[in-house]
Amino acid sequence: MQMNVANPTAPLQTKPARKAGGGARSRRTTGAKGKGKCRFLTALAVTAWTFYLYLHFSGPSGTAQVSRGSGGGDPCRGRYIYMYNLPPRFNADIIRDCPKTEADHWGDLCASLSNAGLGRPLADDDGVLTGEGGWYDTHQFALDAIFHNRMKRYECLTNRSSAAAAVFVPFYAGLDFARNHHHDGAARDAASTDLMVWLTGQFQWGRRMGGLDHFLVAGRTGFDFFRRGSDVDTSRGNGLLMRAARNMSVLVLESTLRHGGDYAVPYPTYFHPRSDADVLRWQDRMRGQRRTRLMAFVGAPGPDTPASIRVIAECKASSACTMLGCTRSPRNTRCRNHTPANIMRLFQKASFCLQPRGDSWTRRSVFDSMVAGCIPVFFHAASAYKQYRWHLPKRHLDYSVYIPDADVRERNVSIEAVLRAIPPATVERMREEVIKLIPTVIYADPRSRLETIKDAFDVAVEGILDLVARIKNGEDLDSDRPVSDDPANLYVSTESTFRPK
C-alpha cells in the first residue's frame, strides 16, 4: 500500500497494543490462559488494521472529506488530490544523478534545478527586474520539478485516495527524457516502463478508474512523448504514453493536438512571485512602462520555417523593430547569449512582440513577453490559440494579433503596416488585457503561496479536476480536443480586421 508523505496531515497509524499493568508484570504466556490472551491481541490487531483500511479506502471514488469548521462547509470539496509518494528513482534520483550525465544540453539543465526548480536568483539589473525578489534564471524545461514542489503545498492535498477527485503522479518525465533522448530505445523507455509496472500494481490505479483520473507533468512538448507510431518504433521520442499510460492526462508545454490526453500549460518564465503583492506591484509597473518601440523579437528561426525567417527579415529591415538573435547550436536551446534582464528589457520597451514558430509551434518567449506587458503577435493558430485553452482567452483578438503565416511567407502583407493600422485606443485595451493575464501565465514560488490570485498552477489543476469530473460523467472528451476548437478559416487576417473599411 502506498502512503503519501507530502501531506502534513499524517494518516491514521495502528500502534501495537500495550499490556495492561505496564512492563512490571512478568511475561507468563504458557497455558490456556496465555494462549487465549495471545489470540485476543492478534484478533484485536487484525480488527484495527481492517478498520484503518476501511477508513482509508472506503467510500465512492472522489468523495470529499468534510471539515469540522464552522458552518460545516468544506472549501476543498471536489478539489482533493492524492499524490503518490513515488520511489525516488522516478523523481529525486533523476535530479541527484543529473551531474553524471553530459549528453546534449542536460548539464545546462542540471545547473538550473536549484531553488525548488526555479534556478539561481536574479538580481535587479538597472531597474528592469523588481528589487523585491521573485526573479530566477528558470530553465524552460524545469516544469516537472516546479509543479511537484507546488503540489506539495497544495491546500487540498489528501492522504485518503478515496476522497480524492484526481491523482497526481510526480514522475519527472520531461527531465527523464532530457537525460536519455540520445540513447537507444531501451534506455529512453526504461524509467517509463518501470513506472507503469509500479503504477498498475497500485490499489489506486485498479480500484478507481484504471488511470483515467491520474495525471502527470511532462515539461516538454507533447511530440517528445506522443510521436511514436507503435511500441516497436523506438527511433524517436519516449515510450511514456504507450499502452496503459495513455489513460492518464499529461500536462505538456505544447500539445500535439492529436491525442486528446495531452494538455498544454505555459512555459515557466523568469518571474515567480511569493505573494499577491508581488504580482500586483509588477502589473502596475508594466502599466506605467514607457514603450518606445513598435515591435520586438527575441529568438532564432526554427528549422524549415520560411515564415519565421521572413518575420525576422522584416524586423531587421524596420527601424520600428528591435531584436535579440539567439545563437543556434546542438547544445544551446536557450538565449544563453543574452541575459534574462536583457530579454525582459527589450520586451518592456515594445508594444508588440513577434512570435513566429520556433523549433515547434510554440515558444517560451510568448510568456516572457506577456509578463513584460507586450502584446503577442502570432502567425500560426497552433502557437497559442489551439494550445493554452485553460490559460488564455478564447477571444484571441482581445489580447493578441494574428497574421496568417501564409500571408507573411507570400509577402501579401507588411507586419509593420498591420500593427501601425491598429488604433492607439485598441492597443491600450489589448495591453491591459495582457497585463491582466500575467498571473495565469506564471508559476508562483513553490515555497510560498498566493492568497487570492490564481497562477498557472492553479488554473492547470482546475482544468484537470474539470476533466476528471467530465470523464466520471461519461462525457466524450475526444470531441473537445484542442484541435477541434479552431475550425478551418476561423482566423481572418488582422489587417482586414483593423484597417479602416
Side-chain angles (χ1 to χ4, degrees):
M1 180 181 64
Q2 183 61 35
M3 305 301 298
N4 184 345
V5 299
N7 192 310
T9 304
L12 177 66
Q13 298 289 337
T14 303
K15 297 182 179 180
R18 298 181 62 185
K19 296 180 176 59
R25 211 172 197 177
S26 62
R27 299 179 59 186
R28 297 186 179 98
T29 58
T30 57
K33 183 177 179 181
K35 291 179 180 179
K37 190 172 185 179
C38 251
R39 284 195 295 270
F40 171 76
L41 291 175
T42 300
L44 182 62
V46 170
T47 301
W49 184 245
T50 303
F51 181 64
Y52 164 70
L53 290 177
Y54 172 80
L55 286 177
H56 190 72
F57 295 115
S58 65
S61 177
T63 301
Q65 299 177 7
V66 179
S67 68
R68 296 294 184 258
S70 60
D74 183 1
C76 287
R77 183 177 296 275
R79 299 173 57 227
Y80 283 110
I81 291 180
Y82 178 85
M83 179 169 68
Y84 284 115
N85 181 27
L86 293 181
R89 66 182 181 275
F90 295 120
N91 42 50
D93 287 354
I94 293 177
I95 293 181
R96 186 197 66 192
D97 296 339
C98 184
K100 299 178 183 178
T101 309
E102 299 296 334
D104 197 39
H105 59 280
W106 176 239
D108 175 47
L109 180 54
C110 290
S112 303
L113 294 175
S114 60
N115 292 305
L118 304 183
R120 65 179 180 86
L122 295 173
D124 196 6
D125 187 340
D126 194 26
V128 176
L129 310 178
T130 55
E132 294 91 2
W135 291 85
Y136 295 84
D137 188 15
T138 304
H139 198 286
Q140 64 177 340
F141 295 143
L143 187 58
D144 298 17
I146 295 172
F147 203 98
H148 183 199
N149 284 306
R150 279 295 307 278
M151 185 59 75
K152 290 176 182 177
R153 296 179 63 88
Y154 177 60
E155 65 272 17
C156 296
L157 206 61
T158 179
N159 279 315
R160 287 185 57 200
S161 62
S162 65
V167 178
F168 178 56
V169 183
F171 171 48
Y172 291 176
L175 299 179
D176 176 61
F177 174 88
R179 66 174 179 170
N180 287 319
H181 77 282
H182 278 318
H183 296 169
D184 60 30
R188 290 200 304 271
D189 291 353
S192 298
T193 301
D194 195 11
L195 173 73
M196 289 316 303
V197 171
W198 188 92
L199 272 181
T200 53
Q202 300 305 303
F203 180 87
Q204 292 82 1
W205 181 279
R207 182 184 182 274
R208 290 173 61 92
M209 299 171 65
L212 290 173
D213 58 352
H214 286 48
F215 72 103
L216 60 80
V217 174
R220 306 278 302 195
T221 70
F223 291 100
D224 290 332
F225 306 102
F226 281 100
R227 68 199 321 172
R228 289 222 191 136
S230 66
D231 288 348
V232 296
D233 176 16
T234 59
S235 60
R236 304 172 67 187
N238 176 291
L240 170 65
L241 299 175
M242 303 302 293
R243 300 180 299 277
R246 283 184 177 271
N247 285 353
M248 291 190 288
S249 297
V250 183
L251 303 183
V252 291
L253 302 179
E254 175 183 317
S255 170
T256 60
L257 308 181
R258 298 175 184 172
H259 298 274
D262 55 330
Y263 300 91
V265 296
Y267 285 78
T269 67
Y270 301 116
F271 185 38
H272 305 280
R274 297 163 297 183
S275 66
D276 289 8
D278 287 347
V279 178
L280 297 174
R281 277 194 297 266
W282 181 256
Q283 287 176 304
D284 285 342
R285 284 189 61 167
M286 294 305 98
R287 289 187 179 99
Q289 195 69 32
R290 183 169 176 264
R291 301 184 184 270
T292 58
R293 293 285 183 171
L294 176 68
M295 54 188 181
F297 172 77
V298 173
D304 302 321
T305 51
S308 69
I309 294 173
R310 181 62 190 164
V311 168
I312 295 172
E314 280 203 43
C315 182
K316 288 181 177 179
S318 172
S319 60
C321 186
T322 184
M323 68 174 290
L324 291 176
C326 297
T327 302
R328 294 190 61 86
S329 71
R331 289 180 174 269
N332 181 22
T333 61
R334 310 173 71 190
C335 264
R336 275 305 185 189
N337 46 325
H338 300 293
T339 67
N342 286 340
I343 294 171
M344 295 305 293
R345 180 183 292 108
L346 184 73
F347 288 152
Q348 291 175 33
K349 290 182 177 179
S351 292
F352 298 95
C353 288
L354 310 181
Q355 304 295 350
R357 293 177 58 188
D359 293 330
S360 60
W361 288 321
T362 64
R363 57 170 68 234
R364 174 208 173 128
S365 172
V366 171
F367 302 101
D368 286 331
S369 67
M370 291 181 69
V371 169
C374 191
I375 302 166
V377 181
F378 297 114
F379 303 89
H380 196 286
S383 291
Y385 308 142
K386 293 185 179 183
Q387 297 287 345
Y388 308 102
R389 53 180 175 155
W390 295 337
H391 295 80
L392 297 179
K394 290 184 178 180
R395 290 173 54 89
H396 59 277
L397 290 181
D398 286 352
Y399 73 95
S400 67
V401 176
Y402 177 71
I403 306 174
D405 58 2
D407 287 346
V408 175
R409 187 173 58 251
E410 298 169 10
R411 306 192 183 192
N412 293 331
V413 63
S414 162
I415 298 172
E416 181 176 347
V418 169
L419 300 182
R420 288 195 183 280
I422 303 176
T426 303
V427 174
E428 289 299 320
R429 176 183 54 76
M430 295 171 73
R431 181 180 300 118
E432 178 60 25
E433 189 66 26
V434 170
I435 293 173
K436 288 180 180 178
L437 287 171
I438 289 176
T440 65
V441 299
I442 59 176
Y443 298 92
D445 191 319
R447 298 160 295 187
S448 59
R449 181 182 299 168
L450 304 183
E451 295 298 327
T452 62
I453 294 176
K454 295 180 181 179
D455 71 342
F457 170 88
D458 296 316
V459 175
V461 168
E462 288 184 355
I464 285 292
L465 292 173
D466 178 66
L467 281 174
V468 175
R470 292 168 61 191
I471 291 172
K472 291 178 180 178
N473 288 336
E475 295 185 35
D476 179 15
L477 298 187
D478 221 33
S479 62
D480 192 33
R481 289 181 296 176
V483 70
S484 65
D485 287 346
D486 301 292
N489 302 318
L490 173 63
Y491 301 106
V492 296
S493 170
T494 305
E495 186 172 21
S496 64
T497 301
F498 288 116
R499 277 192 181 281
K501 299 295 187 290

